[in-house]
Amino acid sequence: MTDSAPEAPRPLGPTETGLADGEWHRLHPATPLLRGGIFVLAILGFAIANMRERLVEIFFGGLAPDLPGYDGDGSEWANDPVNGLVESGTLGWAILAVMGILIVLLVGFWLSWRMHTFRITGESVEVRSGIVFRSHRSARLDRIQGINISRTLLPRILGTARLEVAVAGQSGNVQLAYLSGKLADGLRADILRLASGERGGPRAAVADDARPAFADYPPPAGAPVLDQPAPAAPAANGSRAAEFARDRVGEFLAPELDPSLATPESVVHIPPGRVIGSTLLSGATIALLIVIGGFIWGISTGRGWVFFAFIPALIGFGSFYWSRVTKSLRFTIAGTPDGVRIGHGLLSTSNDTIPPGRIHAIQVQQSIIWRPFGWWMIRITTAGQSIAEASGSQSRSIVLPVGTRADVTKVLSLILPSADLERLSEIVASGMFSRGSDDVYSTPPSRAAWLAPFSWRRTGYTIADGVVFLRRGVVQRDLILVSLARVQSAAIHQGPIRRALGLAHARVHTVAGPVIATLPVIEIGDARRFFDDVATGAVEWALRDTSSSWGAEPELESDASAEQVAAVGDAEPARDAEPARDAQAVTDAEPVTDAEPGGVPEPAGDTEPIGPTAPAPEEVPDGR
């Protein structure tokens, strides 16, 4: 057997930044300061704090009797650590030690920056780092689940940003910290263009206006350097500082979303009043009222110790409210050619771009406190997202912190572009508002009231246009949408009580995440139909799915035959075209609620099969 010829490198085409050229580049020169300069500032602050009295004496020519440490006779300072060093004759050595530590730290940070390089190829994003222990991380473009650009306060003041490439799998993300703010936005566009499958011509020259930004990131020694224009005459320091200040002020005052990135009608905004109101009308406020009631009771009964417990709790609640409000302000979600862009933040900002087809499950949720105001929250599950990460008050799993019914409709149209939501508007409305009257959802019989006395009427499912709709809950209304193309497996369970009532518990498995698609009660006949419909629909829609290469030219005609569609499905990676089709046997035990999504738990006890059983897949798809 002869070896096949190596595959030709994929043409990158023109880029916005000049960094997606397959060569190694360095991060922003201010990276050492942002990543480790805080330690230098801490050492300097400690030294200055302990020498403040001496500094006052040196610079102001006298002792100040009202300063701490002054012993009253003007001859020396009491409890001054510098005095001990002077008297022991080790002051010079101490100064040299501090300077040595600072030099070692600065050299270490500089070497770390020199050894930290990255490159963007037609197949992956790679990062090399480390001085003593070297590491090489790589994120394949076809595994990218989203790209986040975050700007905390200090990097934002310096005009830098952190770019994080999220890929399928736990702890597999790749970070580029830090880049120039404008350069990070352009580099994200380059990465998403390559990940979309869009193929350009031969490598094009970089535009002149992009070269100055590229010049800030010289490649490592020995790496080829692109031609760069002759540097312009240096500007005066005053003019450069004024220009830098204007840029920073303009960035802080600019809208969160650049108007050129999306059409105005696709953008969803949240008014500040709604953000503040929804934060106050939350479970945290109920907990705060309980704490205040306990404090009043303790003080009135002479238990003064509750005061020392109340103050830390009050500080914690204040921090929660401040963090929740500031992170939800200036919230925007919009549709772009490369996916859904979600941005938020006031002082520290963050924005994600989620490519098409990367969202596996969607949860539209409304608490009973929000019901009078008609407010809803939308949460999503993407591959590589842990449940612990998504449990925060404002995490990357929340795509709509609080919105009206119109906002929900617009957001669903953005994150489910393949579904015709105008045709499915009745299904969505029934899932959000119906109390279980005669509608398109399959609801359990009245005997389900033994297990779900308040919510059995609202519990039900339906499947339409490649989407599984699950409706449940009364105190907290939930509508869960799962794309059939992203289903990992389906399972139905039946314990002794459900078996006696002719009911079952159903679940649609997706990748691990905050949204768990389950139905607590379902009639046994509906459960069998549910399993069969999900199992067959998952295969059909996975073969038809082309969202993994959303920018590539279509290769099939619109009237392609079933054989052609199957051929395309076989050509796609197995992770997309091979959803699990395991039938879960009905067990005597109740279902384990924390079972790992993407797999089927082993049955416990005697089993009674429901429906056909297919062989287990060799591996669980990564859910790209």
Side-chain angles (χ1 to χ4, degrees), residues 521-543:
V521 288
I522 184 174
E523 200 272 331
I524 189 63
D526 289 340
R528 293 190 179 97
R529 286 187 292 272
F530 172 82
F531 175 83
D532 292 337
D533 292 343
V534 172
T536 57
V539 176
E540 175 187 354
W541 286 89
L543 295 177

Side-chain angles (χ1 to χ4, degrees), residues 270 274 278 281-283 324 361-381 390-395 397-409 411-412 415 428-433 441 458 470-481 513-518:
I270 302 179
R274 189 192 304 166
S278 63
L281 295 174
S282 62
R324 180 74 175 266
I362 305 166
Q363 182 179 25
V364 183
Q365 185 180 93
Q366 183 188 60
S367 66
I368 194 171
I369 305 177
W370 287 5
R371 195 165 301 168
F373 306 93
W375 294 339
W376 296 81
M377 175 188 291
I378 298 181
R379 192 188 303 269
I380 63 172
T381 287
S391 62
S393 60
Q394 176 65 49
S395 63
S397 67
I398 300 178
V399 298
L400 182 64
V402 53
T404 62
R405 178 179 178 178
D407 295 335
V408 170
T409 302
V411 171
L412 289 179
I415 60 182
V428 175
S430 297
M432 294 171 61
F433 301 101
Y441 285 79
R458 265 193 51 82
L470 305 179
R471 180 183 66 189
R472 67 190 185 195
V474 172
V475 176
Q476 176 177 289
R477 292 177 175 174
D478 288 331
L479 172 63
I480 297 177
L481 299 84
V515 181
I516 301 177
T518 61

